[in-house]
Amino acid sequence: MPDVRFHSVFDIIGPVMVGPSSSHTAGAARIGKVVRDIFGEAPETITIYLYESFAKTYRGHGTDVALVAGLLGMAPDDPHLPESMKLAYDQGIKGSFVPKSDKVDHPNTAHIVLQKGDHRLAVTGVSIGGGNIQITEINGFKISLSMGQPTYITIHEDVPGMIAQVTKIFSDAGINIGTMTVTRESKGEQAIMIIETDDYQDDILAKLKQLPHMVNVTYFE
């Protein structure tokens, strides 16, 4: 049964996020924050599926608190991180933790589903150690995103010409695109672009956000 309990405060994680394990705390918080940044707004509901080591120790190691903190937009060293469960409850966010017995490629894996109205996002993240993470799936599309180079993630309406408009902004700025992944929920709904570039310019993010039909743009270094 899902563990529904966004209503208490845990003292396992200190305000500087030292925790018993960087994989289970700092990494978990980073996964949550990346997912929240991609989603672009506060969700109404959160469902977190936990696998292997995460599923076995998420309470004792504070993984649940860390994930929720990240999903509220907190960094791993946020002083309010230990209060994440209460803060989520106070904001009216409904949530559940679902430990799974399925085998996965990495023991510290979380699959997070956020929803607000018709806006839905499903992301799989892995904490690979030392607070480092990888994003391996967005909305069912397999990816490999380690945040190791300049990366832009766009959420936009699935209309003709969006890819051309986005790539033109990078071309006009003289920025080379290393890899680019495009996926969508379904025809005419929301689509996602993941763009890894060789360089970064301050004004690119603002230009992308100003495009018609753009819902949200996130930049990660």
Side-chain angles (χ1 to χ4, degrees), residues 104-178:
V104 290
D105 292 336
H106 195 283
N108 299 327
T109 297
H111 179 71
I112 301 171
V113 181
L114 304 185
Q115 188 140 2
K116 182 175 183 179
D118 294 332
H119 184 192
R120 183 181 184 276
L121 177 70
V123 179
T124 299
V126 177
S127 179
I128 59 177
N132 298 310
I133 68 169
Q134 290 180 339
I135 301 300
T136 61
E137 182 180 302
I138 296 180
N139 284 354
F141 193 89
K142 299 292 184 182
I143 64 171
S144 180
L145 185 62
S146 61
M147 314 299 178
Q149 62 189 88
T151 302
Y152 297 83
I153 299 180
T154 72
I155 298 178
H156 57 278
E157 296 175 22
D158 182 32
V159 297
M162 284 301 295
I163 294 174
Q165 292 182 69
V166 167
T167 55
K168 184 177 187 302
I169 287 175
F170 288 102
S171 176
D172 290 347
I175 295 178
N176 186 51
I177 294 175

Side-chain angles (χ1 to χ4, degrees), residues 37-96:
D37 287 346
I38 296 172
F39 194 65
E41 60 180 332
E44 292 174 339
T45 62
I46 298 170
T47 306
I48 302 174
Y49 300 89
L50 300 157
Y51 296 85
E52 298 198 21
S53 179
F54 268 8
K56 295 175 182 177
T57 64
Y58 72 97
R59 289 180 178 176
H61 283 183
T63 305
D64 47 359
V65 178
L67 284 167
V68 172
L71 291 168
L72 294 179
M74 298 183 197
D77 60 351
D78 193 297
H80 298 292
L81 187 145
E83 306 167 23
S84 64
M85 296 292 194
K86 182 179 184 302
L87 292 171
Y89 178 80
D90 291 344
Q91 293 177 31
I93 297 173
K94 299 178 181 179
S96 60

Side-chain angles (χ1 to χ4, degrees), residues 190-206:
Q190 289 190 344
I192 295 175
M193 277 186 262
I194 303 167
I195 305 164
E196 294 183 329
T197 64
D198 293 342
D199 301 292
Y200 168 76
Q201 290 184 14
D202 291 339
D203 60 343
I204 295 295
L205 191 65

